[in-house]
Amino acid sequence: MKKNAKIYLLKDRPDYIKKLSDDDIINVIGTKGSGKTTSANKYIYNDDYIVINCDRLYDMPTDSKIEDEFLPKVKELLIKKYGKVYTGKDFSICYDEIINFAKKNKKKLIIEGNVIYDIEPITKLKGTVIVKRTGVLKCFLRAIFRDYPTSYFLKLEIEKHGPIIGRISRLKNIIKRRKSIFKEYHRIEKDIEELESNA
């Protein structure tokens, strides 16, 4: 990492934007709580776009209600073809399928989610990459306040420990899990360096 690359705790920096190809694809990446979904969801009711929140391709309990109408179709296509939605480096297989799906439907594509930057090298992405560079502490706090009240997990903790200890246990677990945001921040900075070196 460059010497002048430092952790921005509260200060937001401008989004890093890099065009990799002429495809009508916008890849939104960033740490949890950086505003990826908020940015992508601005297009969710625009008929010219398909918006794929990659986190919602997996069977994860969530209280979120906003979903692109094409997302269940994409998920069904991936499971029918591969038996599952790939994670890690293998997500590149799903990524190519999602792109083909958008092209067949003659739509522009906005794709976001942490699994995107599991694709290596990141320069394999198509279209334009937007990296959200929200202050890392801000991301951390946002992610905790967003994820802590998820009813599925909170209910499990309360059933296990009771109403007071259950809530404390949930908070402790979510803080522990969300510490990974600080590692993700450095990973995002390395991805930017890789994108810059591909100029």
Side-chain angles (χ1 to χ4, degrees):
M1 188 178 294
K2 294 174 185 173
K3 285 181 182 177
N4 61 354
K6 55 185 176 181
I7 285 189
Y8 279 69
L9 289 175
L10 291 168
K11 184 180 177 183
D12 298 340
R13 289 182 289 166
D15 293 347
Y16 173 85
I17 301 170
K18 174 84 173 186
K19 185 175 180 179
L20 295 174
S21 71
D22 291 329
D23 298 277
D24 280 328
I25 302 161
I26 298 173
N27 307 271
V28 186
I29 66 174
T31 63
K32 295 173 185 72
S34 61
K36 299 184 302 295
T37 303
T38 302
S39 296
N41 281 352
K42 290 176 185 173
Y43 297 87
I44 210 155
Y45 300 114
N46 186 323
D47 289 338
D48 294 332
Y49 289 88
I50 290 176
V51 178
I52 300 297
N53 175 338
C54 294
D55 293 340
R56 294 184 62 76
L57 291 173
Y58 304 94
D59 293 324
M60 296 190 300
T62 175
D63 293 339
S64 177
K65 305 292 181 202
I66 300 174
E67 186 174 277
D68 186 281
E69 64 175 299
F70 288 99
L71 191 137
K73 294 175 186 175
V74 168
K75 185 175 180 177
E76 184 183 344
L77 178 143
L78 294 172
I79 291 171
K80 191 173 181 181
K81 189 162 185 179
Y82 301 107
K84 63 178 180 178
V85 181
Y86 287 108
T87 57
K89 293 176 187 175
D90 291 334
F91 181 74
S92 59
I93 297 165
C94 297
Y95 180 79
D96 291 337
E97 290 289 348
I98 293 167
I99 289 171
N100 291 335
F101 179 89
K103 285 180 180 175
K104 282 178 189 173
N105 284 277
K106 297 179 180 169
K107 302 275 187 183
K108 298 173 184 176
L109 176 65
I110 295 183
I111 185 166
E112 62 98 352
N114 291 337
V115 74
I116 296 172
Y117 56 79
D118 285 336
I119 296 173
E120 292 183 359
I122 196 164
T123 51
K124 283 174 72 175
L125 298 180
K126 305 279 196 307
T128 300
V129 178
I130 297 176
V131 182
K132 305 297 292 179
R133 297 198 294 175
T134 309
V136 69
L137 186 57
K138 194 177 187 180
C139 294
F140 178 70
L141 293 172
R142 268 187 191 170
I144 289 169
F145 287 118
R146 180 195 66 203
D147 297 342
Y148 169 78
T150 303
S151 58
Y152 175 84
F153 294 111
L154 193 54
K155 186 180 173 188
L156 286 180
E157 293 290 346
I158 288 170
E159 285 173 359
K160 188 175 179 181
H161 302 290
I164 296 171
I165 302 297
R167 284 181 168 82
I168 294 168
S169 177
R170 171 66 180 150
L171 184 59
K172 180 182 163 189
N173 289 337
I174 200 72
I175 288 171
K176 189 176 177 183
R177 285 179 60 220
R178 290 298 168 242
K179 283 182 181 175
S180 65
I181 286 173
F182 294 90
K183 288 181 183 175
E184 286 172 12
Y185 182 93
H186 286 293
R187 189 173 168 194
I188 289 287
E189 290 298 308
K190 286 180 182 175
D191 284 341
I192 290 172
E193 284 183 20
E194 191 171 342
L195 289 164
E196 276 296 286
S197 65
N198 193 51

